[in-house]
Amino acid sequence: MNIDIRKAVLHNIHKNNQQQIKDTITDAVARNEEVVLPGLGVLMEVLWKESTPDQQQQILSTLEKGVQ
């Protein structure tokens, strides 16, 4: 069975408002389970693609701080 995780995640949240998306992210982080990581990765991909170069630099700075 071949599942397209990107399509599944985006389909599940495509009509969500900002609060619902925030709740999804907050819940996924709080669960601290490996199974939610692909979904968070899809959201990261959307964030990255929709960000300007300046916003991408801010994301990188935030990530760099967080992983040190």
Side-chain angles (χ1 to χ4, degrees):
M1 178 182 229
N2 191 7
I3 298 174
D4 187 330
I5 293 173
R6 282 181 185 86
K7 285 183 184 178
V9 170
L10 294 174
H11 175 75
N12 286 339
I13 65 169
H14 78 279
K15 291 186 179 181
N16 287 9
N17 61 36
Q18 287 183 19
Q19 184 61 50
Q20 291 168 314
I21 294 170
K22 180 181 178 181
D23 291 345
T24 297
I25 294 167
T26 302
D27 180 60
V29 171
R31 290 168 79 192
N32 197 29
E33 296 176 3
E34 299 286 323
V35 69
V36 300
L37 292 178
L40 290 174
V42 172
L43 293 177
M44 176 64 187
E45 181 180 53
V46 170
L47 175 64
W48 188 260
K49 286 180 176 180
E50 295 296 321
S51 297
T52 65
D54 287 341
Q55 291 168 325
Q56 289 176 348
Q57 186 58 51
Q58 181 62 43
I59 292 166
L60 291 172
S61 294
T62 301
L63 289 171
E64 182 180 40
K65 288 177 191 173
V67 299
Q68 290 182 357

